[in-house]
Amino acid sequence: MTKFIPSAGRRRIMASTFILAFLRPGGRVAAFSFPRIPASPAARRSMISSGPSHRLPRLGPSLTTRLFGTAEKSPASVDAKSGEISAVESQIAAKGNEIRALKEDGISKSDLAPHVEELLALKAKLAELTGEAPVAAPKKEQKKKKQNPPKQKQGGKKEEGEMSINELRDSRLSKAAAMRDAGAEPYAYVYDPNRTAAQLAQEYEGKLEPGEEDETGEHTSVEGEVAVAGRIMARRVFGKLAFFTLQDETGAVQLQFDKKRLGERDSDSFKNLKAWTDSGDIIGAKGTIRRTDKGELTLYAREWTMLTKSALPLPDKYHGLTDISKRYRNRHLDLIVNPSVRDTFYKRAKITSSLRNQLDAKGFLEIETPVLHTQPGGAEAKPFETYHNTMDMDLTLRIATELHLKRLIIGGFPRVYELGRIFRNEGISTRHNPEFTSVELYQAYADYDDMMDLTEELVCGMASKVCDSTTIPYGEHTISLERPWRRVTMHDVVKEEIPDFDFDLNDQSTLDAARSVASAAGVPDVQNLSTVGYVLNACFEELCEPKLIQPTFVIDYPVEVSPLSKPHRSKVGMVERFELFATGREMANSFSELTDPVDQRERFEAQAAKKAAGDEEACDVDEEFLAALEQGMPPTGGLGIGIDRLVMLLTDSPSIRDVIAFPLLKPDA
């Protein structure tokens, strides 16, 4: 076997010296060198035939062709191919230098991968041009280069992608210690940024040509230098130039650092920037605004300040924080790396602010009520139980704010509300969380019709504030919040799904027939229901509720499922109650509130009987509330809105956990 070996480690057609090697039996190699080869094919053949001074054996035409190309190639084609090979080799050398520089700057493996792939592609191209097939052995030798002296001079430094979490923490904390040793504080006390990323984008929109700098601050109202602060999301260092992506609460802005420019104020500034900073650090920077040659708005820094040294790295740039459970457990990281999540919670804050502003403008007062109750009430739900040591009392966390707010109405406040947390020891799903936020409000001298009008007004006001529209996307649907919304009785909406369900709620003789029709329609467990009203409600929840995509008021409920609502003024066995549904979910609940203390006592006693029979969601008789009600409560309309589900609707979020900053989770196994 023969192999044509370049003297400098690379094969060149027009090299000054060549080596011809023969692999002899037993693995021994015999090699011969000879001088520059003439460009002419005829001259090359003549040279081989006559034999060089070092007496190479005469080579046959087959081997001559393999070594020097076919005889038909012209000098011009040889020169062209030589030029192409030289160009590829130059590209390989440049790419290799770039990769080494990126490694020294601490680039992650995932970021480095595209550069390595490009280098391998160039090497494959060179092998094709030269006719040499790449072999595995050199790759193994390249891996051993990690032990070469140049690498040892760097102290065996690992890339971040190769470090354990403890090694990463130690590396970063050592940089914080180095800063302190140099007289710099890695955890600053204060900084005064005068511009955000969003403000800069707005001020410089349509201004500055590519490559132009606003040296005098002509396009900003800031006096002096622009100062920004935020977290380093990306860090790219190229010799004497560096570019960082800085993220603040409004967005991202690029920072440009130049060694010479920084050195005008601190000769070590650029060196320290490279040595001390990592992605995830919080820094401040001052300078002027320019556009790069590619047109990107950039703060051209004159100085920088470490504000907080991050001890842990950010999640991987490409794979990110994608596991949904890890996102919920590490919400701080979720907020850092996912701008859409931050946007959801910005919108949530605006929603609650808009709600409060609207209610305050209508004369409602927000008054806080107790979270700890001596007995649960105001809803049918299983409470969380607790105990007060000093008072030796069993207590529950509130399942509603209703009864205390009604006592405020009795006391003389005509319009009251509370926006706060509710706690129910119930199941967890994409629409249920054990603790959630609701607003309950009560208005004297109003009924459930007034509450429907108020609900439309409040929800449309919040949508306009947050979404700038009353037509919003939700999943695969487009939701129209344009008023008025559909209003339909529970009985009528059930008949749309079960036309044969036409039973008198007050005629218990029809109970078996109602159960049979409901069971035939696929409603489960109806045989255990004791009244036609319960059967009607079960049919609605099973068959109708999931199909109510557009905003719909379902009105006039059976009295059995509404223990705190006033009897309907014209429909026996029904109450004046509505629930608002959208996207197949309940959004709000409202009554014409029950003001008759005798009727209220009877309903409480019916609930207490259910609890004694084992219903964990039924409530007891609340004597304190009954005593207040006997003092007299004016006609009152009440409304409760689930804030979390409303935020889901207005932010197009599929799960309630997406809109609760820190949802309750099981311990991480």
Side-chain angles (χ1 to χ4, degrees), residues 38 162 203 272 303 313 338 349 372 389 399-400 449 475 535 567 606 617 638:
E162 299 173 334
E203 287 181 340
N272 294 337
E303 63 180 63
N338 293 319
L372 296 176
N389 292 331
I399 59 173
D449 287 312
V535 177
E617 294 187 349

Side-chain angles (χ1 to χ4, degrees), residues 405-515:
L405 289 173
K406 284 182 176 178
R407 288 161 73 174
L408 292 170
I409 291 285
I410 295 168
F413 290 103
R415 299 187 180 200
V416 294
Y417 76 95
E418 182 177 5
L419 195 159
R421 299 292 262 184
I422 303 298
F423 308 88
R424 296 181 181 177
N425 197 353
E426 299 175 341
I428 296 176
S429 72
T430 56
R431 64 181 72 183
H432 296 93
N433 197 64
E435 56 175 321
F436 60 94
T437 303
S438 76
V439 61
E440 287 197 42
L441 62 90
Y442 295 88
Q443 179 179 341
Y445 314 113
D447 66 4
Y448 78 145
D449 287 312
D450 296 313
M451 293 297 102
M452 278 187 263
D453 294 337
L454 180 60
T455 303
E456 288 181 344
E457 186 176 349
L458 292 175
V459 173
C460 288
M462 288 182 275
S464 297
K465 182 71 174 179
V466 173
C467 306
D468 298 322
S469 175
T470 53
T471 300
I472 58 176
Y474 190 82
E476 61 184 10
H477 303 289
T478 298
I479 307 301
S480 175
L481 300 176
E482 291 294 331
R483 302 173 66 184
W485 299 342
R486 182 191 181 200
R487 303 183 185 193
V488 60
T489 67
M490 177 182 282
H491 191 266
D492 288 343
V493 76
V494 168
K495 286 187 68 176
E496 291 176 3
E497 298 297 324
I498 313 176
D500 295 335
F501 198 98
D502 194 8
F503 304 101
D504 185 349
L505 298 185
N506 303 296
D507 185 357
Q508 288 300 101
S509 65
T510 63
L511 176 59
D512 288 338
R515 289 171 175 167

Side-chain angles (χ1 to χ4, degrees), residues 207-213 241 243 254 256 258 289-300:
K207 300 173 183 176
L208 298 181
E209 296 297 321
E212 183 181 358
E213 178 183 358
L241 195 65
F243 292 92
Q254 179 169 267
Q256 178 179 344
D258 181 274
I289 302 300
R290 69 181 295 265
R291 286 197 185 276
T292 64
D293 293 340
K294 294 183 179 180
E296 184 170 356
L297 193 67
T298 301
L299 186 139
Y300 193 18

Side-chain angles (χ1 to χ4, degrees), residues 617-637:
E617 294 187 349
C619 62
D620 282 318
V621 177
D622 191 328
E623 294 292 351
E624 290 184 357
F625 175 70
L626 287 172
L629 195 61
E630 289 178 349
Q631 294 292 328
M633 185 170 81
T636 300

